[in-house]
């Protein structure tokens, strides 16, 4: 009887603890360049993919960072936007950037090689987002590197 006296209150406490809302884990996003298009004036239009790696949706609003092509001087990336990205999903934004002359020459050399050409890039910075269960947005750092290659049949387009 004395064992039952302790088991019942313990089970009731466990049941009350389980009633609270579950806390969803929040992780930094992955940011990559999905496509680079050379515009007629020489600017580059970047299609940047933001992948939400969290267990809850997040409201993204600002991307601040830099992109380095090959080992050349990095260029600044900045965009203000509004994207509600569900858990484990991604969405894209478009940024227009002005490359340096050296970056333009390097991209032209890669384009001349056709499908054999590829260009390494690095991207890094922070993305401001508000997780679903939080009251205020916060900055999440991101960094990554990948390659861009010419798209066959689409001059001036790299993926």
């Amino acid at each position: 009887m004395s064992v039952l006296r302790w088991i019942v209150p313990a089970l009731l406490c466990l049941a009350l603890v389980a009633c609270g809302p579950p806390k969803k884990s929040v992780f930094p996003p992955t940011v990559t360049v999905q496509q680079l298009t050379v515009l007629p004036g020489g600017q580059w239009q970047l299609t940047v993919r933001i992948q939400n790696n969290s267990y809850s949706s997040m409201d993204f609003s600002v991307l601040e960072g830099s992109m380095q092509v090959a080992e050349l001087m990095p260029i600044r990336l900045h965009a203000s936007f509004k994207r509600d990205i569900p858990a484990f999903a991604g969405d894209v934004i478009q940024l227009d950037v002005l490359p340096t002359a050296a970056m333009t020459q390097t991209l032209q050399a890669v384009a001349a090689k056709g499908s054999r050409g590829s260009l390494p890039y690095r991207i890094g910075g922070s993305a401001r987002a508000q997780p679903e269960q939080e009251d205020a947005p916060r900055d999440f750092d991101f960094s990554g590197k990948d390659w861009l290659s010419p798209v066959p049949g689409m001059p001036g387009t790299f993926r």
Side-chain angles (χ1 to χ4, degrees):
M1 191 65 155
S2 66
V3 173
L4 191 57
R5 185 182 308 169
W6 291 103
I7 290 177
V8 172
L11 288 175
L12 287 174
C13 284
L14 285 174
L16 287 175
V17 169
C19 291
K23 182 85 170 158
K24 296 181 179 179
S25 297
V26 176
F27 298 101
T30 303
V31 178
T32 57
V33 176
Q34 187 168 316
Q35 181 171 294
L36 183 155
T37 304
V38 180
L39 299 175
Q43 282 189 317
W44 292 356
Q45 184 177 67
L46 302 177
T47 302
V48 177
R49 180 176 178 79
I50 303 170
Q51 178 69 39
N52 181 3
N53 297 320
S54 297
Y55 285 89
S56 66
S57 68
M58 293 174 63
D59 290 329
F60 288 86
S61 58
V62 176
L63 182 94
E64 192 73 52
S66 65
M67 177 181 174
Q68 183 180 22
V69 174
E71 295 298 321
L72 301 172
M73 177 76 70
I75 55 173
R76 181 174 179 254
L77 302 177
H78 173 76
S80 295
F81 54 92
K82 179 137 179 69
R83 293 285 190 287
D84 181 18
I85 304 178
F88 300 110
D91 202 349
V92 296
I93 60 169
Q94 301 220 335
L95 296 157
D96 289 343
V97 296
L98 186 60
T100 64
M103 293 172 100
T104 300
Q105 291 171 350
T106 303
L107 194 66
Q108 288 171 348
V110 169
K113 293 180 182 178
S115 61
R116 294 180 295 125
S118 61
L119 183 65
Y121 77 88
R122 289 186 185 148
I123 190 169
S126 66
R128 180 164 300 137
Q130 182 174 344
E132 178 182 327
Q133 295 180 334
E134 295 184 16
D135 296 331
R138 58 181 165 136
D139 292 335
F140 293 90
D141 291 338
F142 65 86
S143 66
K145 56 184 179 178
D146 208 341
W147 298 82
L148 291 168
S149 299
V151 177
M154 296 178 69
T157 303
F158 299 79
R159 290 186 183 150

